[in-house]
Amino acid sequence: MTFVDQVPSAVELQHVRYLFTDIDDTLTTEGKLLPQTYNALWDLSRAGISVVPVTGGSAGWCEHIVRAWPVAAVIGESGAYAVTRRSGAVVFDYWEDGALQGERQRRHLQAIEGLISKKGRTFKIAHDQVFRLADVAIDIQGHDAGAVEELASEIRGMGGTVAISSIHINTWIGGYDKRAMSERLLTGMFGVDPAELPSVTAFVGDSRNDASMFGFIRNSFGVSNILPVLPHLQHVPKWISAQPAGLGFADIAITILNARATGK
């Protein structure tokens, strides 16, 4: 377990009970969930640490995760909803009325399709758009940073909120983001005292759309593939694993588990 520059102490992490994490290129490595990473999720769960993936991923992806992975909840489509299991059923709790968010998405998708169909545009709507309930995702892999930022700026000019991950521009209409829904989940659904939040939470991320979470959660980690985008972040992680993606997450999980054992 090695870190870039600063190393977390056991004292800082010994009370962590909730670990929020990005998915793409944080849990996954080149699109795959490595055995070390999946085992780390189980180790955290068995130790009593509630893992909550926070993703721009689609509703279909989130429903699978909350059913099949050892997680307490999933926050999907950049904060549009939280997904949990209650009495064996999968439940979506929307930021606002689900029908309202769906209607906004329908109109926004039409506007985005018109924007990227302009002559010379090579961007494409993400293949999993059909499984999305509240946002619009645009594939950005293979596009240079300047073109991505130009498109994002045009979408903002249309009134859309924009978050840029390692694989997508995610855009939606609504006053929420990863941080807002995470705070609602912690204090509302999990019943965490706001005064305790700094000591009982941690977060792991890798990209620009994780900046709000780095600013919200004191015990924040990046995996090493975040290093190239650090200059673009308003808030940066406190610690950075020397390992990338899923291997970095596994190292961070061990660090948190060791700190918890020390505290006990």
Side-chain angles (χ1 to χ4, degrees):
M1 296 169 291
T2 55
F3 289 85
V4 177
D5 297 329
Q6 296 186 74
V7 177
S9 68
V11 172
E12 292 170 291
L13 300 175
Q14 62 184 343
H15 300 298
V16 169
R17 303 199 313 267
Y18 301 93
L19 177 59
F20 289 72
T21 177
D22 179 57
I23 294 179
D24 292 306
D25 298 318
T26 299
L27 287 178
T28 61
T29 302
E30 297 182 359
K32 302 294 184 182
L33 191 63
L34 298 178
Q36 300 96 313
T37 313
Y38 197 57
N39 287 338
L41 292 173
W42 275 106
D43 290 341
L44 290 161
S45 178
R46 292 186 184 112
I49 295 174
S50 297
V51 179
V52 180
V54 187
T55 178
S58 69
W61 183 227
C62 294
E63 173 141 351
H64 161 74
I65 290 170
V66 83
R67 287 184 183 276
W69 294 15
V71 299
V74 183
I75 292 173
E77 296 186 36
S78 302
Y81 46 74
V83 191
T84 54
R85 294 196 74 176
R86 299 178 202 161
S87 302
V90 174
V91 180
F92 281 70
D93 290 297
Y94 289 86
W95 180 259
E96 294 180 273
D97 176 74
L100 173 63
Q101 290 187 208
E103 177 59 22
R104 287 174 177 166
Q105 183 221 33
R106 185 186 67 79
R107 295 177 184 174
H108 197 45
L109 177 58
Q110 290 178 341
I112 296 299
E113 286 176 331
L115 181 63
I116 65 176
S117 68
K118 288 181 179 179
K119 185 176 180 180
R121 293 282 194 198
T122 58
F123 289 95
K124 294 182 179 179
I125 299 295
H127 73 280
D128 68 347
Q129 184 63 45
V130 68
F131 304 116
R132 293 178 178 272
L133 299 176
D135 83 347
V136 179
I138 304 164
D139 289 329
I140 62 172
Q141 289 181 314
H143 295 275
D144 66 71
V148 170
E149 193 51 56
E150 180 183 358
L151 178 58
S153 180
E154 290 184 56
I155 295 170
R156 293 186 189 101
M158 295 165 47
T161 300
V162 171
I164 302 174
S165 73
S166 57
I167 60 173
H168 290 142
I169 291 175
N170 289 95
T171 177
W172 62 92
I173 305 296
Y176 58 83
D177 60 10
K178 287 185 173 185
R179 170 182 176 158
M181 184 55 93
S182 296
E183 188 168 10
R184 178 183 288 186
L185 182 71
L186 281 162
T187 59
M189 196 173 297
F190 293 162
V192 179
D193 185 334
E196 289 187 319
L197 287 181
S199 63
V200 302
T201 57
F203 175 71
V204 190
D206 80 293
S207 64
R208 293 170 63 178
N209 69 341
D210 295 320
S212 66
M213 293 296 288
F214 294 137
F216 171 47
I217 293 181
R218 182 181 68 189
N219 298 317
S220 61
F221 294 86
V223 288
S224 68
N225 39 300
I226 200 173
L227 290 170
V229 301
L230 284 180
H232 306 289
L233 299 182
Q234 181 180 4
H235 303 286
V236 298
K238 186 173 183 179
W239 306 292
I240 299 176
S241 170
Q243 294 280 356
L247 295 177
F249 178 88
D251 265 5
I252 291 164
I254 292 170
T255 301
I256 292 171
L257 289 167
N258 286 346
R260 186 178 178 87
T262 300
K264 289 183 177 180

